[in-house]
Amino acid sequence: MTFTSRLAAVALASLLATGAAYAQTAAPAAKTDAATTADKKVTKERTAESLECSKQADAKGLKGKERKKFRRDCKRDAKAGTTAPAAPAADKK
């Protein structure tokens, strides 16, 4: 047997051994829809103040940082017992 044929045989054997090693590893378990739904149910329920502030932000067409700031101020005012502001205090547009 020549050196090149020995080298080819070793290379072939190592490829087969590597393939078998990868084939034996277990695939990670995929999340099912039921598991995803269960994760969503664990989250805290939204309060009436939060829902109302979201509706007001939707009516104003607020998005992004402006919406987040409006909702934060609205919920704080609702918890304090005052009514939510009808319009944002300062429009920078």
Side-chain angles (χ1 to χ4, degrees):
M1 207 175 200
T2 64
F3 178 73
T4 54
S5 62
R6 286 182 190 171
L7 184 62
V10 170
L12 180 62
S14 65
L15 286 174
L16 292 175
T18 304
Y22 282 118
Q24 292 177 359
T25 58
K31 269 193 167 181
T32 61
D33 291 334
T36 305
T37 306
D39 289 343
K40 289 181 182 178
K41 289 182 181 178
V42 173
T43 59
K44 192 169 91 172
E45 293 289 326
R46 293 180 66 187
T47 62
E49 293 90 3
S50 177
L51 292 171
E52 184 59 34
C53 291
S54 291
K55 287 178 186 176
Q56 290 177 12
D58 288 340
K60 295 173 192 261
L62 297 176
K63 304 254 188 242
K65 290 181 182 180
E66 293 172 347
R67 178 185 177 89
K68 188 173 182 179
K69 182 180 182 315
F70 175 80
R71 289 189 70 244
R72 182 181 62 234
D73 294 341
C74 177
K75 288 190 292 185
R76 183 187 62 225
D77 292 343
K79 286 181 183 177
T82 61
T83 59
D91 282 335
K92 294 183 180 182
K93 292 181 180 179

